[in-house]
Amino acid sequence: MKSVFCNVLLVVLIALGSVSSQELLDRIVAIVDDEIILDSEVTQMAWMMSAQMGVDPSRNQEQFMEMRKIAAQNLVTKELLVIQADKDTIEADERQVDAYLDQQMQNAIQQAGGEEGLEEMLGMTMSQIRRMYRDDIQKEMRAGAVQEQKLMNVQVSRREVERFYKDMRDSLGRKNETVDISHILVEP
């Protein structure tokens, strides 16, 4: 009986020790239907957006956090469109996926300063990066096809645009006025 109690106590202590030593690896940001969007996916997309826009996240935290919000919204929207693509049985053309994948990989490699730089930046091997990009590209193309299909017959008149601008003027932000100046110097 004493040995059974010691064994149970040992198992409980080991379980408690393992629970306290666990660390958070990732968080769920959103669940869309059966698809889970992880914090790491949002961060990765925000890093990619930063790289494309030439923003250094370590220097401009506020802008990077704004990109994280946009990335999360984009990922949720994409998943919703992919769900609709599944319902409508819309598939991506594999040749287009391959061509776009090659182009995106070359751009990413060039921006990272080589394959090693890209692997280090994303913490993955090249084959993992290609697989991730391929899945993303397929989803993007399927989502784009749904958008195109749904928006194909939408027509907006000039009056509707002007009314929208008038109603939403305050929330659209302001664009500073600019002046273009040029000077031509003619020497005799």
Side-chain angles (χ1 to χ4, degrees):
M1 181 76 159
K2 189 174 183 182
S3 67
V4 171
F5 176 74
C6 288
N7 286 339
V8 170
L9 182 62
L10 181 63
V11 168
V12 169
L13 289 175
I14 290 172
L16 288 175
S18 67
V19 168
S20 65
S21 67
Q22 290 179 352
E23 70 178 77
L24 182 65
L25 297 177
D26 212 341
R27 292 181 325 139
I28 295 174
V29 175
I31 300 173
V32 180
D33 201 25
D34 291 336
E35 293 295 320
I36 294 173
I37 298 173
L38 299 174
D39 187 52
S40 59
E41 292 175 285
V42 172
T43 302
Q44 190 172 30
M45 183 178 226
W47 274 97
M48 285 190 234
M49 289 168 59
S50 298
Q52 288 174 347
M53 297 174 71
V55 173
D56 184 359
S58 62
R59 291 187 184 155
N60 196 339
Q61 285 288 325
E62 287 181 27
Q63 194 170 6
F64 183 69
M65 293 310 290
E66 192 60 35
M67 285 184 189
R68 281 182 50 81
K69 288 178 188 176
I70 293 168
Q73 290 171 347
N74 288 348
L75 287 168
V76 168
T77 300
K78 181 172 64 172
E79 288 301 332
L80 289 170
L81 290 170
V82 168
I83 290 167
Q84 187 62 44
D86 288 341
K87 289 178 183 175
D88 296 346
T89 62
I90 296 174
E91 293 297 324
D93 180 9
E94 288 302 315
R95 285 179 288 180
Q96 287 180 333
V97 170
D98 289 337
Y100 194 68
L101 173 64
D102 291 339
Q103 180 183 4
Q104 288 297 315
M105 288 298 295
Q106 289 303 319
N107 290 343
I109 290 168
Q110 186 178 15
Q111 287 178 348
E115 289 184 9
E116 295 82 21
L118 183 61
E119 288 177 337
E120 184 178 321
M121 185 172 78
L122 296 179
M124 299 182 204
T125 64
M126 289 303 291
S127 61
Q128 290 171 325
I129 295 168
R130 281 188 74 80
R131 201 170 323 124
M132 177 194 69
Y133 272 161
R134 174 179 271 293
D135 292 343
D136 286 346
I137 290 168
Q138 283 178 328
K139 283 184 176 182
E140 288 288 337
M141 288 185 160
R142 294 177 69 216
V146 169
Q147 279 182 317
E148 187 177 308
Q149 186 181 49
K150 299 296 181 190
L151 299 176
M152 186 174 13
N153 296 324
V154 174
Q155 294 184 1
V156 181
S157 69
R158 177 145 181 96
R159 180 177 294 148
E160 290 172 317
V161 172
E162 289 172 351
R163 187 174 48 226
F164 175 81
Y165 179 74
K166 181 182 173 190
D167 293 343
M168 304 299 286
R169 175 181 271 164
D170 294 337
S171 64
L172 294 176
R174 301 204 182 269
K175 183 176 179 185
N176 295 332
E177 291 185 28
T178 61
V179 177
D180 292 330
I181 299 175
S182 56
H183 178 82
I184 299 175
L185 176 64
V186 179
E187 291 184 17

